Amino acid sequence: MKLEVVDGIHLLTLDEASQVINDTTVAAWNDALATVAASEGPTALVVTGEGKTFNQGLDLPFIGGLGEAFPDFIRDVHQLFGRLLRVDVPTIAAMNGHTIAGGAMLALCMDLRIMRSDRGWFRLPEVELQMPFTTVMDSLVSSRIPQPAQHRMMVLGERVGGEGALAAGAVDAVAEGEDGPREAAMARAAELAQYRGPALTQIRTTRYGDLLASIDRDGDREHLFAP
């Protein structure tokens, strides 16, 4: 993935290798967030992808080989969600294409989501994959997507395009064309950059306190899934 500063805004672009979630990409996300946090002055973070995909979620071949290390890796993913929620800059997902499973959850961690209207699916296919949501993931999705769309997406695995995601409340805006989401996100980021600071983090921390407490809970490995 590539992190650059464009007109004062941090732009993180996910190439094909970065459009899945594994140990390498989690480390790269953490490095990028650390760089953004260490910067000074008004700024925001825009995350987008290359090609037809924003993010496909968990790297299934990778997690298939984890064995007993799977819970520890999922805890690392939860911690990444927490870092996105706590970073002191406005965050926007510029969803250029398919936004699936854990990739959709990464987008849901951000303050705003702008999705391409003419290509790509937003989907939570865990029921099809026979992979139940962790308690953290369930809380994250529930905090961002309203009912009844939440039920259709989580329980029935419904997939929606940009306009459908907007109608469902899963995204905040749509833009047409390959560059549309990024351009719209960068313009909005320029407006929001002034809000960078501890107050932004505190407001998020209060608003999503239960979710963050679940991420931080000691023994999260034992509480990965609800009983």
Side-chain angles (χ1 to χ4, degrees):
M1 61 183 70
K2 177 183 178 182
L3 180 66
E4 56 190 322
V5 179
V6 180
D7 296 328
I9 302 301
H10 286 79
L11 175 63
L12 180 64
T13 303
L14 310 178
D15 60 11
E16 183 177 355
S18 304
Q19 292 168 356
V20 292
I21 303 173
N22 54 37
D23 56 348
T24 300
T25 58
V26 167
W29 273 92
N30 288 332
D31 287 346
L33 290 174
T35 298
V36 174
S39 68
E40 297 182 357
T43 191
L45 172 64
V46 171
V47 182
T48 193
E50 293 181 345
K52 298 179 180 180
T53 300
F54 175 75
N55 194 289
Q56 300 181 61
L58 294 179
D59 183 342
L60 297 181
F62 168 76
I63 65 170
L66 285 174
E68 294 183 357
F70 175 75
D72 292 324
F73 173 70
I74 294 300
R75 187 177 182 185
D76 290 342
V77 175
H78 291 169
Q79 292 293 322
L80 174 57
F81 294 165
R83 291 186 183 100
L84 277 166
L85 288 165
R86 286 185 167 114
V87 69
D88 71 343
V89 304
T91 55
I92 304 178
M95 299 150 64
N96 56 293
H98 301 309
T99 305
I100 308 296
M105 294 177 212
L106 286 170
L108 290 171
C109 288
M110 299 183 213
D111 295 316
L112 292 173
R113 287 159 295 286
I114 302 174
M115 186 171 178
R116 183 170 177 175
S117 61
D118 53 336
R119 172 177 284 178
W121 299 110
F122 184 99
R123 192 181 181 208
L124 299 167
E126 279 74 7
V127 65
E128 179 180 321
L129 298 173
Q130 295 294 301
M131 295 177 63
F133 294 92
T134 67
T135 53
V136 165
M137 293 174 179
D138 182 272
S139 296
L140 170 63
V141 177
S142 299
S143 71
R144 295 296 205 177
I145 300 177
Q147 286 282 23
Q150 178 192 121
H151 176 88
R152 296 196 307 269
M153 290 183 179
M154 297 179 74
V155 179
L156 304 179
E158 180 182 87
R159 69 179 187 179
V160 292
E163 295 290 351
L166 179 63
V171 303
D172 301 283
V174 294
E176 188 174 347
E178 182 177 353
D179 299 327
R182 185 186 72 251
E183 292 174 353
M186 292 294 287
R188 191 75 176 98
E191 299 171 352
L192 296 174
Q194 63 181 313
Y195 299 137
R196 193 245 178 103
L200 176 65
T201 298
Q202 184 60 54
I203 290 168
R204 282 208 217 95
T205 299
T206 301
R207 180 67 184 82
Y208 301 103
D210 290 344
L211 171 59
L212 288 166
S214 181
I215 290 172
D216 295 341
R217 182 191 304 141
D218 289 339
D220 187 62
R221 179 184 177 121
E222 288 72 33
H223 297 88
L224 200 58
F225 299 97

